Each structure stands twice: as structure tokens, then as C-alpha cells.
Amino acid sequence: SQQGEEDPQALSIQEGENATMNCSYKTSINNLQWYRQNSGRGLVHLILIRSNEREKHSGRLRVTLDTSKKSSSLLITASRAADTASYFCATDAGETSGSRLTFGEGTQLTVNP
Amino acid sequence: DGGITQSPKYLFRKEGQNVTLSCEQNLNHDAMYWYRQDPGQGLRLIYYSQIVNDFQKGDIAEGYSVSREKKESFPLTVTSAQKNPTAFYLCATTGWTYGYTFGSGTRLTVV
């Protein structure tokens, strides 16, 4: 079952612009994570935000979490062509889900040079 | 990738054949996972194991089998009962604190 749903499915921007991706989920969570996947490769963990946190930063990444709306957003500032990839949110519902991650279907980001 | 290795990178399966995908990690993590990814889609959980000699079915376990005899290894067998096995298979492990570490994947094709 897909817990997270990303929006938009695809996003195309120019280098230097900011990119915002959104994720909605259905059940209560322990934490929410964002991953990046380059074409044909494995996923790379970007950032984890716990259910009691509202915002987190890591370099050019900013993640927000609104548990009342069951939604999260990932902001990439000053994008670069190398940021071109698919971005996935994943939710960890803790013991009730067997402590496993459930992934959304991803946002394909294209950054044009 | 980061202490977790999947092999082979590409695998071809004939109709009615069982094939085994390898996943090895040297991160000393207890938990390991197998996901399937179809083109343009997210990841779906096949099987996971939180400790040696124990594993649980995920959302799409039918036609797959696993074993966890060693902490470092979590092989996945795609059996002939899996009617549509062509996909990208990803193995992952976690130490719980910093998220999952993924392997580089195995692309399985039915010929």
C-alpha cells in the first residue's frame, strides 16, 4: 500500500530556482524521510524529520512537517543541474507497521542548465 | 553503496526458472529489507527481517522467498510462481537512527 503521495509528479525548473515538492500521508507516523534516486540507481537518504519536529534544514534542503494536515514539503534552494533526480517521501509508522518504511510514488525533478 | 552490496547488477530469467538475488551488508545492522520498483513508480515492500533467523512478509510477498541465516546476508529468491518478475529490486538496511541505506539494485528481466 502506498502511504505517501507526492505532488507534483514531475517538476521542471531552471538552474538557480527553488524546487518545492509535497508529500501527503494517511496514518500517524513516527517520522518522515526524504530520499533521492538518480536514474537506475539505489536511493540515497536525504533527511529525516520526527513527528514532534516542524522544520529541519540540511545544506540547501529544508523540510517541513505538519502532522495535523498529514503533509510534508521538501524545498531545494538554488537548484543545480546535478539535483536532477526522483525524490521520494517515506513514512515510518513505528511498531504498528512493523517498523518499516512506506514510500510514495515520487516526484521527478528536472533542473535545466 | 555505503556498506551494502547487491549482485548481480543485471539478471535474466527464463520462464519457469527460480533466480536468487544477493544482498550483503557490513554495517552490522539488524534490519534488512527487499523492495520492488516498477518503471516510474515508488517502492513496494516484498520482505523484511529485523533479526537473524526471522523475517516477515511485506505487501507483495507472493512469488518470492527469503532467508536470513546470517546478519550480513538477506538473499531474495524470485520463484516461478511470480508471474511478472521484470522489475528493479532494491535491498536496504537500517540502524534506525539515520534512515535506510540502499544497495545499487538488481535489474531483473524475463526472457
Side-chain angles (χ1 to χ4, degrees):
Chain A
S1 59
Q2 297 294 338
Q3 158 84 309
E5 294 185 2
E6 284 94 340
D7 169 54
Q9 288 186 332
L11 180 61
S12 181
I13 60 174
Q14 295 299 123
E15 209 164 25
E17 294 180 341
N18 294 344
T20 299
M21 289 160 268
N22 303 296
C23 171
S24 60
Y25 57 92
K26 298 174 184 174
T27 66
S28 60
I29 60 172
N30 276 0
N31 65 71
L32 184 144
Q33 303 176 31
W34 285 90
Y35 289 80
R36 165 197 169 122
Q37 183 182 34
N38 288 84
S39 182
R41 304 296 298 273
L43 278 69
V44 175
H45 180 254
L46 296 176
I47 197 165
L48 180 154
I49 186 165
R50 302 188 190 285
S51 59
N52 61 353
E53 297 175 308
R54 291 297 168 258
E55 187 170 313
K56 205 163 184 178
H57 297 251
S58 176
R60 293 185 296 112
L61 306 180
R62 181 169 76 95
V63 170
T64 62
L65 179 64
D66 187 336
T67 53
S68 66
K69 295 181 179 178
K70 292 187 169 57
S71 67
S72 173
S73 67
L74 171 67
L75 168 68
I76 304 174
T77 61
S79 63
R80 306 166 182 169
D83 293 329
T84 294
S86 292
Y87 292 82
F88 295 89
C89 70
T91 53
D92 180 353
E95 291 298 322
T96 56
S97 71
S99 297
R100 61 188 208 183
L101 285 183
T102 304
F103 286 81
E105 296 196 352
T107 292
Q108 172 62 52
L109 173 66
T110 302
V111 182
N112 302 297
Chain B
D1 286 12
I4 181 168
T5 302
Q6 288 186 242
S7 63
K9 190 173 178 68
Y10 299 96
L11 188 57
F12 298 91
R13 193 193 92 167
K14 295 180 180 179
E15 295 286 348
Q17 189 179 46
N18 290 358
V19 291
T20 297
L21 285 61
S22 170
C23 179
E24 303 276 334
Q25 56 104 355
N26 62 5
L27 298 169
N28 201 34
H29 289 168
D30 286 315
M32 298 186 74
Y33 305 80
W34 274 106
Y35 285 89
R36 168 180 171 142
Q37 185 178 34
D38 291 285
Q41 297 189 24
L43 280 65
R44 292 184 291 168
L45 183 63
I46 305 172
Y47 267 100
Y48 62 107
S49 168
Q50 295 183 351
I51 197 166
V52 174
N53 293 321
D54 188 41
F55 50 83
Q56 287 79 39
K57 293 182 178 180
D59 299 318
I60 56 165
E62 185 175 351
Y64 300 97
S65 66
V66 294
S67 62
R68 187 84 188 276
E69 297 175 0
K70 297 186 300 182
K71 189 174 187 177
E72 315 83 67
S73 179
F74 191 39
L76 173 73
T77 296
V78 184
T79 74
S80 57
Q82 172 50 241
K83 298 306 178 188
N84 184 24
T86 294
F88 190 49
Y89 292 87
L90 287 159
C91 180
T93 184
T94 183
W96 303 115
T97 307
Y98 298 112
Y100 286 18
T101 300
F102 279 84
S104 56
T106 292
R107 190 166 300 280
L108 174 62
T109 304
V110 175
V111 295

